């Protein structure tokens, strides 16, 4: 089932596509996703894959996607870890990295001496009292807190799982600090991704499974969006979308069909 959306005003030039929950769930491709993504890439649209995935580095993520059979190049992936690394470099920070070992590659070369900030991603192995208390003490000295994203939950093959948002909020509450969030749904993240395909927000559409991070985040900067009912989609999310700027589709295949067969004409 799909809903219609007003597409007048700008000619669509690009599509931003979420990864986890939209085209795959960990090591499983969503049925029809490989063919749908190839159709999208074969169209006249520029395609960028944007993700808040922080459990692994961009290289490891690309290797996983490639193993699943997707024809996606590494330079077509824009991650929140990249955005976080850029911020760390710009501010010359030496952060405590609450990240899984598989993600640390994206922070290679960053000093871990005389720590002066905290970076939090999805890191189940780090979310214990001892490590969170070290982060707490750094923040209580006035050092900045950077959240790669603040998702409440994500989808695993065995069901929904707790995201980093609750831990970021806990550190904010305990220290009186407000985190700088660098991933979706932040405006800067979307604008940085759009800059790589050289188009304005009204010329792009976002496809994803997260009502807040994908759909509402895109709509807030003037993009159109399509919510897919896979991944972290929850019953009733489709009732919350803006019908003038968003559509709802059962999966990525249906979303690509809608985009190419109706919105592009």
């Amino acid at each position: 089932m799909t809903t219609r959306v007003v597409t007048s005003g700008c000619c669509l030039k690009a599509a931003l596509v979420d990864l986890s929950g939209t085209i795959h769930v960990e090591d499983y491709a969503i049925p029809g996703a490989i063919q749908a993504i190839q159709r999208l890439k074969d169209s006249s649209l520029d395609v960028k894959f944007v993700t808040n995935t922080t459990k692994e580095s961009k290289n490891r993520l690309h290797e996983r996607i490639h193993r699943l059979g997707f024809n996606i190049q590494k330079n077509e992936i824009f991650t929140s870890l990249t955005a976080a690394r850029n911020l760390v470099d710009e501010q010359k920070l030496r952060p405590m990295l609450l990240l899984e070992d598989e993600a640390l590659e994206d922070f290679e070369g960053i000093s871990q001496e005389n720590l002066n900030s905290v970076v939090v991603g999805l890191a189940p192995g780090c979310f214990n009292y001892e490590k969170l208390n070290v982060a707490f003490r750094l923040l209580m000295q006035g050092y900045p807190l950077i959240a790669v994203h603040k998702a409440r939950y994500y989808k695993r093959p065995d069901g929904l799982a707790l995201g980093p948002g609750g831990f970021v909020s806990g550190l904010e509450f305990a220290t009186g600090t407000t985190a700088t969030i660098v991933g979706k749904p932040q405006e800067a993240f979307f604008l940085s991704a759009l800059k790589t395909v050289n188009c304005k927000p009204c010329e792009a559409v976002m496809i994803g499974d997260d009502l807040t991070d994908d759909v509402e985040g895109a709509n807030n900067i003037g993009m159109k969006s399509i919510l897919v009912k896979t991944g972290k989609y929850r019953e009733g999310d489709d009732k919350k979308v803006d019908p003038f700027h968003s559509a709802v589709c059962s999966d990525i295949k249906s979303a690509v069909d809608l985009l190419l067969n109706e919105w592009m004409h």
Side-chain angles (χ1 to χ4, degrees), residues 2 10 18 26 42 45 69 82 111 117-118 122 146 178 192 196 202 208 216 223 235 240 242 244-245 261:
T2 64
C10 284
D18 177 50
E26 295 197 348
D42 289 342
L45 293 171
T82 301
S111 174
S117 54
V118 177
L122 178 59
I146 298 171
T178 299
S192 295
T196 67
C202 69
E216 293 177 351
M223 292 177 62
E235 191 69 34
K240 302 173 185 176
D242 177 354
F244 293 102
H245 300 97
N261 296 337

Side-chain angles (χ1 to χ4, degrees), residues 172-188:
E172 288 179 315
F173 173 76
T175 63
T177 300
T178 299
T180 297
I181 306 169
V182 298
K184 296 180 290 183
Q186 298 303 300
E187 176 179 340

Side-chain angles (χ1 to χ4, degrees), residues 24 26-27 56 60-68:
H24 78 104
E26 295 197 348
D27 289 325
E56 56 194 351
R60 287 174 180 261
L61 175 61
H62 177 252
E63 290 169 1
R64 179 196 297 265
I65 294 297
H66 188 263
R67 285 197 306 270
L68 293 178

Side-chain angles (χ1 to χ4, degrees), residues 130-191:
E130 287 74 19
K131 289 190 176 181
L132 288 171
N133 201 45
V134 173
F136 164 78
R137 290 176 174 175
L138 285 168
L139 298 175
M140 288 298 287
Q141 296 179 57
Y143 294 137
L145 172 62
I146 298 171
V148 184
H149 63 91
K150 209 174 178 183
R152 294 174 298 161
Y153 53 84
Y154 68 104
K155 182 66 180 291
R156 300 192 314 200
D158 62 345
L160 295 178
L162 187 63
F167 298 95
V168 174
S169 293
L171 287 170
E172 288 179 315
F173 173 76
T175 63
T177 300
T178 299
T180 297
I181 306 169
V182 298
K184 296 180 290 183
Q186 298 303 300
E187 176 179 340
F189 180 88
F190 284 107
L191 291 178

Side-chain angles (χ1 to χ4, degrees), residues 30-100:
I30 288 174
I34 294 172
Q35 296 80 6
I37 291 303
Q38 191 59 53
R39 282 187 63 210
L40 191 59
K41 292 188 63 177
D42 289 342
S43 74
S44 61
L45 293 171
D46 288 320
V47 182
K48 200 77 173 183
F49 299 90
V50 293
T51 178
N52 273 350
T53 297
T54 61
K55 285 183 64 178
E56 56 194 351
S57 68
K58 184 175 178 178
N59 280 334
R60 287 174 180 261
L61 175 61
H62 177 252
E63 290 169 1
R64 179 196 297 265
I65 294 297
H66 188 263
R67 285 197 306 270
L68 293 178
F70 288 98
N71 176 27
I72 296 174
Q73 305 307 309
K74 188 165 68 173
N75 63 4
E76 294 174 321
I77 301 174
F78 188 83
T79 78
S80 53
L81 281 175
T82 301
R85 172 62 191 258
N86 291 343
L87 182 61
V88 166
D89 287 341
E90 289 168 8
Q91 298 188 4
K92 296 180 171 55
L93 299 175
R94 301 179 303 278
M96 176 187 186
L97 297 169
L98 289 177
L99 299 169
E100 293 290 80

